[in-house]
Amino acid sequence: MLTKKQYELLMFIHQRVRETGVPPSFDEMKDALDLRSKSGIHRLITALEERGFIKRLEKRARALEIKADIILKATKVDGVYSADPMADASAKLYGSITYQQVLERQLRVMDASAISLCMDNMLPIIVFNMRQPGNIQRVVTGEKGVGTVVGF
């Protein structure tokens, strides 16, 4: 059994996802339910999750909420490798790789739930070396051959 506020929040979340394809932010939920604080929303969401009505993914890609076209993941290595390049000199750098391959090979690009969320929403990821001078500009301007593209 849901309280009136829990039901209102659940309906608001469903409506927003149906209309926009992404869940509402805490601020949007707070405003929609006319609550004073985000902690009230947090309690309602926790109750909905405990009752099995929703599932939150920790560290989920906030890029989906802001409707980004791509995730840029700046790292200390040149991209996605077949193994940890710091520990294995024979590790192979991928120019591109699918989400499924990342998951199947258990490559540590991001946590599995974030990779799955990107895959489900067709949100590509570019993993690149932030320590290489000029790489951020190269990636942002769409230069090919910088880092690894994770996608389909």
Side-chain angles (χ1 to χ4, degrees), residues 14 25 50 73 75-76 85 95 105 107 110 112 118 122 143 147 151-152:
H14 281 275
S25 69
E50 288 171 353
K73 183 168 190 260
T75 67
K76 59 185 177 184
R105 297 173 189 175
L107 301 174
M110 301 161 80
C118 290
M122 297 181 284
E143 185 175 315
F152 284 103

Side-chain angles (χ1 to χ4, degrees), residues 11 29 36 47 50 65-66 69 72 74 77 91 109 132 140:
M11 292 301 102
M29 290 184 275
R36 292 184 184 153
E50 288 171 353
E65 190 168 317
I66 62 169
D69 295 325
L72 305 179
V77 296
V109 176
Q132 181 70 35
V140 169

